[in-house]
Amino acid sequence: DLYIQKVDYTANFPRVTRHDYFNLQPKQTIQIPDNKDIAKLNSVEIPLFDAIISNFPFIQQEDIPNDVLTAHFRSEFLKTQAAFLEDVEFKINERSDYYIYCFYNSLKFLKPDGFLAAITSNAWLGKNYGSQFKKFLLDNFSVQYVVKSNAEHWFKNSQVSTIFITLKRGKSEQPTRFVTLNFKLEERLFDETSQNLQFIEDLYTQIDTCDNPANQDWQQDEQYKTVFSNSDDTVKVSLVSRQKLMQSLKNQENWATYFIAENPL
């Protein structure tokens, strides 16, 4: 999309390489096609990134080489990540889906305040293996947004229920915004890239200010005071404190309930 907006600016041309993600390291040198001469390859050092945005692979845990991946992360996380220590033994839950390992691998590629956003299955919100993943997230990130749709499946040919999560590296006391969309994306997104980007920017601005009393486009829920809906009920936002998310690790709470409210009962 960046290239399409300004086709004469060759620095915007996508630089694509094909590698096993788990075999890459920051500062590793890889070969990337040149912006102008596609027959030429340039040696480029993998930097730390401001943001990583992905649709990580959806692979059933039965098809994942858990022993291999556990060994891969043992040297990297043994002394730094308490989420993987069970009775002093390093272990990654063998029920973890493949995309969860991709989150683990992405940590080292992010700048200190970098963002990580991805579309995933919603299973980890409530499944038992999700407890380890949640602890990893809370130990390393501020969970900024968890977004779901009540209006559609984002993958039309799949029965997997998906969510979109946005993380910022580093801890923050800002609440997590559990967002429910009650409209289909195709109703709001069109062919014009600049219009789509503006719509998304405006949507997140509204979500970020939903609890601001000066924002007259949103109403506070009468029963749940940390829940807000916009004027046409197409978006609902539930604010959940970091303290509540930390407490949920002990109580084994299903994060899917937070789309309703921080304390729905």
Side-chain angles (χ1 to χ4, degrees):
D1 284 345
L2 288 174
Y3 181 65
I4 292 172
Q5 290 180 62
K6 196 172 182 180
V7 295
D8 59 339
Y9 185 47
T10 58
N12 268 343
F13 193 86
R15 290 180 289 176
V16 179
T17 185
R18 183 178 179 181
H19 289 275
D20 183 333
Y21 189 37
F22 297 101
N23 289 336
L24 296 176
Q25 295 289 335
K27 296 186 178 181
Q28 178 180 339
T29 299
I30 58 175
Q31 301 296 305
I32 295 289
D34 188 78
N35 291 334
K36 297 181 180 180
D37 182 0
I38 61 174
K40 177 184 177 183
L41 292 177
N42 296 324
S43 296
V44 177
E45 186 179 276
I46 299 176
L48 294 182
F49 293 96
D50 293 303
I52 296 173
I53 303 172
S54 183
N55 172 17
F56 293 131
F58 283 48
I59 300 175
Q60 297 181 22
Q61 56 87 17
E62 292 85 359
D63 299 325
I64 298 171
N66 180 270
D67 293 343
V68 174
L69 290 172
T70 295
H72 172 86
F73 286 109
R74 181 176 284 111
S75 60
E76 186 174 346
F77 286 158
L78 181 60
K79 296 181 180 180
T80 61
Q81 299 294 331
F84 303 108
L85 294 180
E86 296 182 7
D87 299 324
V88 195
E89 179 184 358
F90 184 90
K91 183 178 181 182
I92 296 180
N93 192 301
E94 64 275 6
R95 305 292 295 180
S96 299
D97 286 327
Y98 193 73
Y99 63 79
I100 287 183
Y101 293 95
C102 294
F103 275 86
Y104 298 155
N105 201 55
S106 297
L107 181 65
K108 62 176 172 281
F109 290 104
L110 286 173
K111 291 181 180 179
D113 292 324
F115 291 88
L116 173 56
I119 190 168
T120 76
S121 158
N122 69 351
W124 64 268
L125 295 174
K127 294 291 186 181
N128 192 37
Y129 72 78
S131 297
Q132 184 180 66
F133 181 48
K134 293 171 189 174
K135 178 167 176 52
F136 172 82
L137 295 184
L138 293 173
D139 283 347
N140 296 282
F141 296 97
S142 163
V143 184
Q144 296 208 314
Y145 309 99
V146 185
V147 184
K148 74 169 185 175
S149 174
N150 276 348
E152 62 181 337
H153 279 284
W154 286 326
F155 295 113
K156 299 186 184 302
N157 296 323
S158 173
Q159 295 303 310
V160 175
S161 295
T162 50
I163 57 175
F164 189 79
I165 181 171
T166 301
L167 312 167
K168 184 177 182 181
R169 188 169 183 181
K171 298 178 182 179
S172 169
E173 293 306 316
Q174 292 297 315
T176 298
R177 296 174 188 267
F178 283 77
V179 181
T180 302
L181 303 180
N182 294 313
F183 63 87
K184 294 182 178 180
L185 294 179
E186 63 184 16
E187 297 171 352
R188 307 292 179 90
L189 300 179
F190 302 98
D191 294 334
E192 180 57 49
T193 300
S194 60
Q195 290 181 346
N196 292 339
L197 292 175
Q198 188 62 56
F199 165 74
I200 294 171
E201 182 178 339
D202 292 344
L203 175 62
Y204 274 93
T205 298
Q206 285 293 308
I207 290 170
D208 287 341
T209 60
C210 69
D211 53 332
N212 186 336
N215 191 340
Q216 299 299 311
D217 293 327
W218 292 77
Q219 295 86 38
Q220 185 180 46
D221 189 89
E222 293 184 2
Q223 181 177 2
Y224 303 119
K225 301 305 181 184
T226 57
V227 175
F228 300 84
S229 298
N230 65 351
S231 56
D232 59 2
D233 289 324
T234 56
V235 185
K236 184 177 80 170
V237 181
S238 171
L239 305 183
V240 180
S241 67
R242 180 178 178 85
Q243 181 181 5
K244 178 66 175 177
L245 295 181
M246 294 295 296
Q247 180 185 348
S248 76
L249 300 180
K250 298 179 181 179
N251 301 339
Q252 299 289 307
E253 293 178 5
N254 186 338
W255 282 15
T257 62
Y258 297 151
F259 286 106
I260 301 173
E262 180 175 281
N263 297 292
L265 301 179

